[in-house]
Amino acid sequence: MPINKRAIISGALGATASSIGKLALSPKSPVPSTFHSYCHIILNRYYQHENDIGWICPYVSLGTRVVCFLCMIGVNLLMVSSFLDGMNESGSVVGTALSTAANFSFSALYGILFFEEQVPISWFFGATLIALGMYLLSSVTLTTDDDDKTKTD
């Protein structure tokens, strides 16, 4: 049985959506604070009286959060579409397992790369067990009642 790419893509999209959501909603998110800082830099450079229009910068920060939130919703829509296609191709059990394992892996990867999270050694042990379970699930072939009836006829 070939590996279902759409289910794996849906897991990656799910992890991407959650990372974008973290950028949108986390108080420690670097995206809104970076845009807020750039706003002040631009205002200082081009306007002598920043205090007159400095009220814009919090709205710029809020706007970046709204854009990130809308992007999260869009990526979630793509994820659901890909997930449903993946389940149609390989069945609900295998599609769900592949999507979940990919989501788990990509979430950890994004956490390490973008959010400087620490991943303990026990996580790698768990990821190995999940990969083994994915392999076992994807190697099982299911038969339907129609297949059994044609064998007995």
Side-chain angles (χ1 to χ4, degrees):
M1 173 183 244
I3 292 180
N4 185 338
K5 292 178 184 172
R6 288 188 178 147
I8 293 172
I9 290 170
S10 75
L13 288 171
T16 302
S18 67
S19 294
I20 293 171
K22 190 172 183 176
L23 290 174
L25 301 174
S26 174
K28 297 178 183 177
S29 176
V31 174
S33 61
T34 301
F35 275 89
H36 191 270
S37 297
Y38 284 145
C39 178
H40 281 292
I41 291 169
I42 290 169
L43 290 178
N44 282 333
R45 182 174 294 165
Y46 295 108
Y47 298 101
Q48 293 177 352
H49 303 289
E50 179 195 348
N51 294 335
D52 295 341
I53 57 171
W55 57 270
I56 293 174
C57 294
Y59 290 106
V60 169
S61 179
L62 179 64
T64 59
R65 287 185 187 274
V66 169
V67 168
C68 286
F69 187 76
L70 292 174
C71 287
M72 178 195 69
I73 291 172
V75 173
N76 267 323
L77 291 172
L78 292 173
M79 182 270 307
V80 168
S81 174
S82 178
F83 180 68
L84 292 175
D85 288 342
M87 285 196 329
N88 283 335
E89 286 181 359
S90 63
S92 62
V93 173
V94 174
T96 302
L98 288 171
S99 178
T100 302
N103 189 311
F104 181 74
S105 302
F106 278 97
S107 291
L109 182 66
Y110 290 158
I112 293 167
L113 293 176
F114 301 122
F115 301 107
E116 299 175 358
E117 294 176 356
Q118 300 294 319
V119 178
I121 296 296
S122 60
W123 180 90
F124 291 102
F125 178 70
T128 303
L129 290 177
I130 288 174
L132 179 63
M134 246 179 29
Y135 171 75
L136 291 174
L137 279 174
S138 64
S139 64
V140 172
T141 56
L142 300 175
T143 59
T144 61
D145 290 339
D146 294 338
D147 292 339
D148 293 338
K149 289 178 185 177
T150 56
K151 289 180 184 176
T152 58
D153 289 339

